[in-house]
DNA sequence: CTCCTAATGTACGAACTGGTTCGTTAGTAA
DNA sequence: TTACTAACGAACCAGTTCGTACATTAGGAG
């Protein structure tokens, strides 16, 4: 979602296939996130580009494939961020809290990505299903969680029997909801879940919640 | 979302204003949930109705107001369900768990409602803002949570300082995400969050999570 | 320098879409 | 019975939307 920067050669800016393609993808990301798949207009995307609608069809084939490319690009960005997560030097409790915070921060920093995912769910993930790229590779975050979970259970700190994918769902759901549903939640309950002054409050709350669940005293069960 | 049943007088089924209006609302709910606001077609709604497009404009004014009416109707249904919640006879821990389960069940039982809310968030809750009906009355669930929370803290069982609206957000986020993001989550992680055989697992997990958070040992802080 | 192709731009059209115009009829009050 | 209005339907319209046919040119290979 970062805006594509100026080409290296400012004068000879015609005939730069890579650049044209990247610019279309960038503008399309904004437009799809803004208006949804059906609401997005191919003409509008073209107009906000330095090139024409013809190029969208030349490079991507059509609206459908363009949206798939947008999703592939957006997901590859989050995967890259996840791969740079380094929590191996922390104890399990601190590591989980750190991971939850990173997830929290990433959702807050990329509302457009959240919107794209929400939109793709409205369309029942049909574009992800159509993408060869997205079906294959799964999230690095899962592997990280798995390692922390193993360490936490080995040391006896974690009592919960949750697996990595479910814990990821638990963490993501709160982070995702806070961003995706801020408008209806705000309108109905009068509370802005993404207000800057509430940020630390919710960030802490998420960590507390996850740690409480993982370390809860289960002797009484 | 329930399909409108046949009129009381099967023969004289012409000229029934209430029935026509209800049928439009019912079909519109399905169509908006299926395709999103922009994706929904007024012609399609009309075609699946026993009346014509003219009547949609006659009764509702336009596509925008029709969607607002759909939201009003959908929200009024969930409010009604919330009002029938009776947990006053339970101890705080059991009451919170029961409430979480009811929220869980309601989300699972009404995927169309979840989709409508997700769609309305894409449109930044502009239709809720435009509705006089929806802005005013707030959720009965909040009051119920507030009472349980007070009782739990009075008895010393609950140590968390969370308020009712935030606890509602915590519970809703998990329930909402599980339904709203099942498609992308399933496609990316190979796990169906709404699979029938996993239902009890997630229902229990939610309750455990909330109770663990509320009753966590905080002496070490 | 010439030629060839990837890259690009212009203009257009067929189908669709929200909304409206005009006219008709069922039911009811007097 | 009559007259009046709420309820209804068919056809239409103006603006839009995705996609394409056709024409053009930059820039590297030879």
């Amino acid at each position: 979602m970062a805006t594509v920067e100026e080409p290296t050669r400012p004068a000879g800016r015609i005939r730069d296939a890579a650049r044209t393609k990247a610019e279309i993808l960038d503008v399309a990301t904004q437009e799809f996130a803004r208006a949804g798949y059906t609401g997005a207009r191919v003409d509008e995307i073209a107009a906000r580009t330095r090139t024409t609608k013809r190029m969208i069809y030349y490079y991507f084939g059509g609206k459908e494939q363009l949206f798939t490319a947008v999703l592939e690009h957006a997901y590859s960005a989050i995967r890259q961020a996840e791969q740079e997560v380094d929590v191996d030097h922390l104890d399990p409790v601190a590591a989980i809290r750190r991971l939850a915070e990173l997830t929290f921060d990433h959702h807050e920093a990329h509302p457009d990505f959240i919107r794209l995912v929400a939109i793709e769910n409205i369309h029942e993930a049909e574009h992800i299903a159509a993408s060869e790229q997205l079906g294959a590779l799964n999230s690095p975050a899962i592997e990280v969680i798995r390692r922390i979970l193993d360490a936490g259970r080995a040391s006896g700190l974690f009592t919960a029997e949750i697996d990595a994918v479910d814990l990821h769902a638990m963490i993501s759901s709160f982070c995702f909801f806070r961003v995706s549903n801020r408008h209806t939640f705000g309108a109905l309950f009068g509370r802005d879940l993404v207000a800057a002054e509430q940020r630390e409050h919710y960030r802490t709350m998420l960590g507390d919640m996850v740690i409480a669940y993982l370390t809860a005293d289960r002797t009484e069960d």
Side-chain angles (χ1 to χ4, degrees), chain A residues 176-196:
Chain A
F176 194 93
F177 182 91
R178 176 168 163 273
V179 177
S180 73
N181 284 39
R182 67 176 171 231
H183 297 109
T184 56
F185 199 90
L188 293 172
F189 302 108
R191 180 160 308 180
D192 182 5
L193 294 174
V194 281

Side-chain angles (χ1 to χ4, degrees), chain A residues 135-208:
Chain A
L137 60 160
N138 56 6
S139 172
I142 298 297
E143 266 314 309
V144 175
I145 294 176
R146 208 189 312 270
R147 282 209 307 279
I148 305 174
L149 235 32
D150 285 344
R153 266 194 287 258
S155 71
L157 281 166
F158 294 169
T159 57
E161 279 173 26
I162 194 170
D163 82 354
V165 172
D166 285 348
L167 184 56
H168 181 64
M170 182 188 281
I171 294 170
S172 296
S173 64
F174 184 77
C175 298
F176 194 93
F177 182 91
R178 176 168 163 273
V179 177
S180 73
N181 284 39
R182 67 176 171 231
H183 297 109
T184 56
F185 199 90
L188 293 172
F189 302 108
R191 180 160 308 180
D192 182 5
L193 294 174
V194 281
E197 62 271 24
Q198 299 260 326
R199 200 186 110 93
E200 269 314 308
H201 167 65
Y202 286 121
R203 217 166 92 114
T204 304
M205 183 170 127
L206 169 66
D208 289 352

Side-chain angles (χ1 to χ4, degrees), chain A residues 1-218:
Chain A
M1 340 290 153
T3 306
V4 173
E5 63 286 336
E6 294 298 307
T8 38
R9 290 172 304 166
R13 75 175 175 290
I14 2 178
R15 291 278 148 135
D16 188 339
R19 201 231 115 81
T20 300
K21 217 175 155 177
E23 188 174 353
I24 291 172
L25 208 55
D26 182 53
V27 173
T29 299
Q30 296 169 27
E31 175 68 2
F32 279 122
R34 187 187 64 78
Y37 175 74
T38 324
R41 300 298 168 219
V42 179
D43 280 304
E44 176 65 21
I45 294 170
R48 287 173 49 199
T49 294
R50 235 172 293 182
T51 183
T52 64
K53 185 167 54 156
R54 175 70 183 79
M55 289 298 97
I56 293 174
Y57 287 88
Y58 183 69
Y59 283 120
F60 296 95
K63 189 183 183 183
E64 203 101 17
Q65 295 101 304
L66 177 59
F67 186 63
T68 302
V70 164
L71 285 175
E72 285 171 351
H73 186 253
Y75 270 110
S76 91
I78 189 183
R79 292 241 165 82
Q80 201 154 355
E82 282 175 354
Q83 263 168 352
E84 285 161 24
V85 172
D86 172 33
V87 292
D88 282 335
H89 61 287
L90 298 170
D91 71 283
V93 169
I96 284 289
R97 192 177 279 274
R98 182 86 195 98
L99 186 88
E101 287 170 353
L102 285 169
T103 306
F104 183 96
D105 294 346
H106 189 274
H107 280 72
E108 172 151 309
H110 300 288
D112 271 9
F113 175 70
I114 307 299
R115 291 174 68 92
L116 289 173
V117 174
I119 290 160
E120 176 66 353
N121 271 293
I122 296 294
H123 296 276
E124 300 181 349
E126 62 182 37
H127 305 94
I128 290 181
S131 162
E132 299 157 19
Q133 183 181 324
L134 285 168
L137 60 160
N138 56 6
S139 172
I142 298 297
E143 266 314 309
V144 175
I145 294 176
R146 208 189 312 270
R147 282 209 307 279
I148 305 174
L149 235 32
D150 285 344
R153 266 194 287 258
S155 71
L157 281 166
F158 294 169
T159 57
E161 279 173 26
I162 194 170
D163 82 354
V165 172
D166 285 348
L167 184 56
H168 181 64
M170 182 188 281
I171 294 170
S172 296
S173 64
F174 184 77
C175 298
F176 194 93
F177 182 91
R178 176 168 163 273
V179 177
S180 73
N181 284 39
R182 67 176 171 231
H183 297 109
T184 56
F185 199 90
L188 293 172
F189 302 108
R191 180 160 308 180
D192 182 5
L193 294 174
V194 281
E197 62 271 24
Q198 299 260 326
R199 200 186 110 93
E200 269 314 308
H201 167 65
Y202 286 121
R203 217 166 92 114
T204 304
M205 183 170 127
L206 169 66
D208 289 352
M209 179 189 85
V210 176
I211 297 301
Y213 175 76
L214 289 174
T215 65
D217 180 15
R218 284 179 171 77

